[in-house]
Amino acid sequence: MKTDDGSAENTVLFEIQGRTGVVTLNRPKALNALTHPMVRRIDEALTAWEHDPAVHQVMIRGAGERGLCAGGDIRAIHDDAKAGATASPAFWRDEYRLNAHIARYPKPYVALMDGIVMGGGVGVSAHGGVRVVTERSRVAMPETGIGFVPDIGGTYLLARAPGELGTHLALTGAAVGAADALLCGLADHFVPARRLDELTAGLAAAPAHEVLPRYADTPAPGDLAGRRPWIDHCYAADTVEEIVDRLLGHGDPAAKEAAETILAKSPTALKVTLAALRRAAGTQTLERVLVQEFRVSCRALALPDLVEGIRAQVVDKDRSPRWSPAALEAVTDAEVERFFTPLGAGYELEFPEAGAPR
């Protein structure tokens, strides 16, 4: 049973296949990037299916061959920031609540993380209970490259990756394949892409825990396991400057490459990201981390790096952002701390319940 929103383009589709409620993100030309109406409709469908005895589990997938979801619509965020920034906080408020809803969903929530899964795409998949990657998966939180900070509960997820792997992924924005996504706790199962249709058909007839063993396989080896020694040592430093110094001094070419990648990102975003990860590691619930991320996101919206980063990467595509300030040492601790201060009554992200640890 499909529904639509009456618009020219049905950007998210819903149907019930046997025992499974299926969400299909349907903006393939935009890599299924999320819009505010899409977020609202997904949350409404999840709420309806939560109370529908005919729906035993939920599955989310992306239309097209390129990926589940490339994240939020950052062009819209760019335009909103230039116009005075009122739409983006409203979008984030509903998006982060959706992320928490997914994490607490009482029925199995199966995410097909095939192809590109970035930013907001991680938010609608990696908080689920059953997360499937393929050999085509490229999972990333690339926010520092656009002058932003990992959100959608990304700092919660990355802070809980083994050792300092999450810090490495957050600061560099590096995309990982199936094996590394499994290692970092961003996914649970590997299924070859050619078998996804069979998996989907199987889920219509039986519970996920019965169906997945028929199709799950072992992915090709990843890169991160062999790099753990230098990653855990270098990223354990207290500051971004010291992390970069350790990476440059380590001697492994991959460590030097990581340092060079980090130095190309927004200095402000890097320092706030490291602080956010460290705080998230000591925070018990996803909801409390999302409250922190909402504060950080709203603060970032008012500063020039976000607009400049999106301009350089997406609008003009010159790949030459002019960060302000341009150097790590110019970003003070006081400036970083301001990102975490409360927004004030009526502006904070709130949840009906505090939520229990996952």
Side-chain angles (χ1 to χ4, degrees):
M1 180 177 61
K2 293 187 178 182
T3 62
D4 61 61
D5 59 5
S7 62
E9 181 186 14
N10 297 324
T11 55
V12 57
L13 306 175
F14 307 97
E15 58 185 309
I16 297 176
Q17 297 182 359
R19 63 189 293 130
T20 302
V22 180
V23 180
T24 304
L25 306 181
N26 192 38
R27 298 184 69 205
K29 292 182 179 178
L31 264 171
N32 299 318
L34 294 170
T35 65
H36 199 168
M38 291 170 70
V39 164
R40 286 176 170 168
R41 295 187 64 227
I42 293 168
D43 195 59
E44 290 168 0
L46 292 182
T47 299
W49 286 339
E50 188 172 338
H51 303 287
D52 186 344
V55 176
H56 295 261
Q57 58 200 6
V58 170
M59 182 182 73
I60 188 167
R61 62 187 178 183
E65 299 295 325
R66 299 170 63 196
L68 171 65
C69 176
D73 190 336
I74 59 175
R75 276 184 175 269
I77 294 172
H78 171 272
D79 295 344
D80 182 48
K82 292 185 71 174
T86 57
S88 295
F91 167 61
W92 290 327
R93 191 182 301 275
D94 286 338
E95 183 184 25
Y96 299 176
R97 285 173 175 163
L98 172 61
N99 302 146
H101 191 179
I102 291 168
R104 308 291 175 205
Y105 206 63
K107 298 179 179 181
Y109 182 98
V110 183
L112 302 187
M113 302 170 68
D114 184 36
I116 292 174
V117 186
M118 297 184 178
V122 175
V124 296
S125 59
H127 293 299
V130 184
R131 305 162 301 174
V132 178
V133 285
T134 75
E135 72 278 6
R136 303 187 299 201
S137 296
R138 302 299 295 166
V139 184
M141 294 297 297
E143 286 77 8
T144 55
I146 58 166
F148 199 45
V149 177
D151 64 336
I152 54 81
T155 59
Y156 180 90
L157 294 167
L158 294 175
R160 283 153 179 79
E164 294 293 334
L165 292 177
T167 311
H168 170 67
L169 296 184
L171 295 184
T172 62
V176 297
D180 288 334
L182 293 167
L183 173 64
C184 292
L186 300 173
D188 309 298
H189 306 278
F190 169 79
V191 174
R194 61 182 171 80
R195 306 206 69 185
L196 288 180
D197 287 345
E198 297 173 68
L199 172 62
T200 298
L203 290 171
H209 73 271
E210 293 181 6
V211 176
L212 271 163
R214 302 178 207 159
Y215 305 104
D217 206 337
T218 302
D223 298 320
L224 295 181
R227 297 175 180 177
R228 279 288 303 276
W230 64 258
I231 286 176
D232 288 352
H233 168 70
C234 295
Y235 289 94
D238 293 331
T239 67
V240 179
E241 291 95 328
E242 187 178 352
I243 288 172
V244 171
D245 287 344
R246 289 187 184 186
L247 290 168
L248 289 173
H250 186 273
D252 190 305
K256 180 182 179 183
E257 181 181 352
E260 293 171 347
T261 297
I262 290 170
L263 290 172
K265 311 299 185 184
S266 159
T268 300
L270 290 168
K271 287 201 168 184
V272 176
T273 294
L274 183 61
L277 284 170
R278 299 294 192 248
R279 292 174 184 231
T283 303
Q284 284 193 320
T285 69
L286 171 63
E287 285 83 355
R288 289 172 183 160
V289 173
L290 287 166
V291 169
Q292 171 179 286
E293 290 180 349
F294 185 73
R295 292 173 180 172
V296 170
S297 296
C298 290
R299 302 292 186 197
L301 196 61
L303 296 178
D305 275 8
L306 180 56
V307 170
E308 174 61 12
I310 298 174
R311 178 207 65 76
Q313 298 297 330
V314 178
V315 180
D316 297 336
K317 298 182 180 179
D318 58 29
R319 308 291 192 267
S320 299
R322 296 178 291 275
W323 304 123
S324 178
L328 286 167
E329 57 269 21
V331 182
T332 68
D333 291 343
E335 288 168 334
V336 171
E337 185 62 30
R338 276 197 287 271
F339 279 77
F340 299 93
T341 57
L343 299 171
Y347 294 95
E348 295 280 6
L349 174 64
E350 296 179 347
F351 291 94
E353 299 177 3
R358 288 191 69 188

